[in-house]
Amino acid sequence: MNFTHNVVSLGGVTVGLSIAAWNITCWWTGHKKRNLAALKDLVPFAITALYGMLLILSAGGMLGGGADIGLWGSSAIGDAALKHGVGGDSPNVTRHSNLVLSDGGHAVVIIATVVLVAVWTRKKGFRWDIFFNLICGISLGLSSGVAGAAGFVLSPVVSTAGDWTVGLL
C-alpha cells in the first residue's frame, strides 16, 4: 500500500462501511421502539464521521496528515481482509473529481477540532468510539459512489459556510 494522500481503496471503504454498519446495528438492537426520536442516539456517530470526512478533505497540515495516516491504515487493513480473508481484490475507488476545502472551510475544520477535543477530553479515558467514527468518515470521505456522497456534498457546504462566517465572501 502506497502512503499517498487522497487515495482510497475498496478495502478502506469496506472498513468505513463496516464501522458504520457496527454503529447502526448496535443502535438497531438497542432500541425497542425505532422511531424518529430514537435516531438522536445516532447523532454522535454521524457528527464524528462527518468530521472525519472533513479531515480527509483538508489539503495538508498536521490534521490532513493525521487523516492521511488513518486512511492509509484503514485501506491496508481492508485490503488485507479482502485479499486474505475472502480471496478478493481491492481496486482504487477514489472519486475522480478532487474536492478541497476553501480557507473558510479550513477554519471550520479547526473550530470543529477544538469542539471535538473538548468533548473527547471531557470524560476521563480514551474514547475508542470517537476514534472509530473518525476512521469511518476518513475512509468514506473520498469514495466515489454512494459511500462518498456525504463528502461530495459536505465540502462545498462547509467551504461556503466557513467563507461566509469569517467574511471571505
Side-chain angles (χ1 to χ4, degrees), residues 10-162:
L10 178 60
V13 172
T14 302
V15 167
L17 289 175
S18 295
I19 293 169
W22 177 276
N23 280 289
I24 292 168
T25 302
C26 289
W27 170 81
W28 182 266
T29 58
H31 285 84
K32 293 180 182 177
K33 294 182 180 180
R34 294 172 191 97
N35 53 21
L36 289 178
L39 283 174
K40 70 178 175 9
D41 293 338
L42 283 176
V43 169
F45 161 70
I47 289 173
T48 52
L50 289 172
Y51 173 72
M53 289 181 184
L54 284 177
L55 284 180
I56 199 62
L57 294 175
S58 297
M62 291 189 318
L63 291 176
D68 192 31
I69 291 169
L71 179 62
W72 170 77
S74 68
S75 289
I77 290 168
D79 292 349
L82 286 172
K83 291 177 184 174
H84 303 294
V86 294
D89 197 16
S90 185
N92 180 353
V93 293
T94 309
R95 80 170 53 90
H96 297 289
S97 61
N98 190 14
L99 295 175
V100 293
L101 295 173
S102 67
D103 291 335
H106 286 119
V108 170
V109 170
I110 295 297
I111 295 165
T113 301
V114 169
V115 171
L116 182 71
V117 168
V119 169
W120 210 334
T121 58
R122 176 129 168 97
K123 296 190 177 193
K124 296 186 180 358
F126 188 78
R127 300 269 317 265
W128 285 102
D129 58 332
I130 293 175
F131 173 78
F132 286 119
N133 296 344
L134 286 174
I135 295 297
C136 173
I138 288 168
S139 299
L140 298 178
L142 298 176
S143 168
S144 62
V146 176
F152 189 75
V153 172
L154 191 64
S155 177
V157 169
V158 168
S159 290
T160 302

